[in-house]
Amino acid sequence: MSDSLARIREVDSSGQLDDVLALPEHLRDALWRVESAGLEPAEATGLIVCGMGGSASGGLLARAALGDSLGLPMLIFRDYELPPWTAPDRAILCSSYSGDTEETLACFEAAEAIGAIRYAMTTGGALAAAARQANVPVVGLPAGLQPRHSIGYGFTVACEVAALVGAAPGLRTEIDTAAAHLEQGAETLAARAAEIADRLAGFTPVIYGCDLTVPVAYRWKTQINENAKQHAFQNQLPELDHNEIVGWTRDGDGAGFAAVFLTDSDQHPRQRERAELTATLIEPAASAVIRVETEGGTRVERMLWAVMLGDLVSLHLAARNGVDPGPVDAIERLKGELERS
Ligand code: PA5
């Protein structure tokens, strides 16, 4: 692959680039793992996905990909407690790559207390142990990844559980086709990501999404935080047109920031107009304004295409920052302090 990927490999001693490029394989493997976990369908009035950070992102993406086809509520919960109105007929999917994240473990217990239908996905840890003890079905994830780079698993398992509990139609075919689409497009994506990273380098990225691309914008932000070890921010249209846009109007104030607009062919026509108008309006204030339109056929294809592009942008930025994208010492340090307290 391209020379620019060679620059990533120079800093990437923990092999994050390979894990990002393996997204198509992860999607297919996840379909297989769900099947072999033998999860039973259940009648539920909705699905709540509980998890933190990289282990919650898959649920956020799944909910967006399912979009209008969701027939029941699907929520992503990132905290120590379930919403107070959670009824026993809600299905709860607890997602923790390590299996030891305290917020997710607390939700697993809370779900037991109300007698809700539970599922788990993890590589092991306390979550796997608790689930096994309570006969809760577990989708086992492969070890050795950074949690954020298990996104293909988190996304697929959340989609599959949503289908199992009757919240949405199954997306197996779309996921399989999207995997092929990503494989075919990998080289172009890598080159495009390098161009975008060149324009973002030296500035604080502000990523804007709408509809399908809202969780993708969040993914770009968190990937830039964790892989490139730098600040990045995210917001969504149309809301940002009612507040954040004003922040771009003071002379010179936006000079340290570069905006990325993630648009999608399926978005509301007024959203599209807003994205273009907003981009044009802030252009004089921002250091760069980058427009990215998702590519692909289905919502799943387009969304995962934009996820992989953002993941590659974050790795290119890591290379430009001269940092290994793998380790996230600050997160580990904080978790360690909390464990000792
Ligand atoms: O990317 C990361 O490492 C974090 O965002 C983790 O996903 C988060 O801290 C939760 O840990 P886990 O995924 O093991 O539940």
Side-chain angles (χ1 to χ4, degrees):
M1 216 175 259
S2 66
D3 287 352
S4 69
L5 292 188
R7 281 169 71 186
I8 297 176
R9 290 200 195 279
E10 276 168 30
V11 293
D12 183 23
S13 50
S14 53
Q16 302 309 308
L17 175 60
D18 291 334
D19 293 341
V20 163
L21 292 173
L23 178 59
E25 266 164 58
H26 292 174
L27 294 166
R28 292 192 189 106
D29 186 40
L31 286 173
W32 178 82
R33 281 171 188 264
V34 173
E35 209 167 285
S36 27
L39 308 186
E40 294 290 333
E43 268 190 38
T45 56
L47 172 65
I48 301 179
V49 180
C50 299
M52 302 303 302
S55 288
S57 294
L60 293 167
L61 292 172
R63 188 181 54 186
L66 289 165
D68 290 346
S69 71
L70 269 172
L72 293 173
M74 177 171 177
L75 290 175
I76 318 306
F77 223 71
R78 291 171 284 177
D79 212 327
Y80 286 91
E81 286 171 23
L82 293 171
W85 41 257
T86 310
D89 57 2
R90 286 285 154 112
I92 314 288
L93 168 63
C94 291
S95 165
S96 169
Y97 186 78
S98 63
D100 288 323
T101 296
E102 60 180 41
E103 298 93 319
T104 316
L105 291 169
C107 287
F108 186 78
E109 270 179 36
E112 177 168 36
I114 57 170
I117 308 153
R118 289 182 295 172
Y119 300 92
M121 65 169 131
T122 183
T123 54
L127 180 60
R132 258 181 232 116
Q133 185 153 17
N135 272 327
V136 169
V138 178
V139 180
L141 306 182
L145 297 170
Q146 280 291 334
R148 59 191 179 279
H149 294 146
S150 69
I151 187 82
Y153 291 94
F155 167 73
T156 304
V157 176
C159 288
E160 288 281 275
V161 172
L164 271 173
V165 302
L171 288 182
R172 295 181 75 84
T173 310
E174 284 86 341
I175 292 172
D176 212 34
T177 320
H181 178 243
L182 291 175
E183 263 161 4
Q184 285 152 15
E187 203 136 338
T188 322
L189 273 166
R192 180 84 185 274
E195 283 165 28
I196 295 173
D198 278 339
R199 295 188 63 197
L200 291 176
F203 307 117
T204 301
V206 183
I207 321 294
Y208 291 146
C210 39
D211 184 42
L212 183 68
T213 61
V214 169
V216 182
Y218 181 65
R219 171 74 176 177
W220 278 50
K221 171 221 161 7
T222 57
Q223 285 291 81
I224 294 170
N225 293 150
E226 291 187 66
N227 287 337
K229 279 74 171 156
Q230 66 172 82
H231 271 309
F233 299 95
Q234 158 267 345
N235 206 337
Q236 66 190 77
L237 285 160
E239 178 61 17
L240 77 93
D241 279 352
H242 300 273
N243 34 63
E244 185 161 320
I245 191 171
V246 186
W248 291 101
T249 51
R250 221 175 84 205
D251 274 354
D253 202 35
F257 297 90
V260 180
F261 285 81
L262 301 176
T263 55
D264 178 66
S265 55
D266 201 23
Q267 72 197 47
H268 191 289
R270 294 293 280 174
Q271 295 264 33
R272 177 168 294 280
E273 255 176 81
R274 277 180 183 277
E276 191 40 49
L277 275 173
T278 311
T280 309
L281 214 127
I282 71 169
E283 215 145 28
S287 284
V289 171
I290 301 164
R291 295 161 174 86
V292 177
E293 171 94 5
T294 60
E295 289 181 19
T298 64
R299 281 174 79 82
V300 176
E301 264 182 25
R302 299 195 305 276
M303 194 185 72
L304 293 176
W305 177 93
V307 165
M308 196 156 162
L309 179 66
D311 285 7
L312 289 165
V313 167
S314 72
L315 296 181
H316 280 298
L317 286 173
R320 282 156 182 74
N321 292 344
V323 293
D324 182 347
V328 280
D329 296 343
I331 297 176
E332 298 309 329
R333 218 167 39 241
L334 189 99
K335 285 184 180 179
E337 293 286 328
L338 277 166
E339 249 171 56
R340 283 188 288 278
S341 69

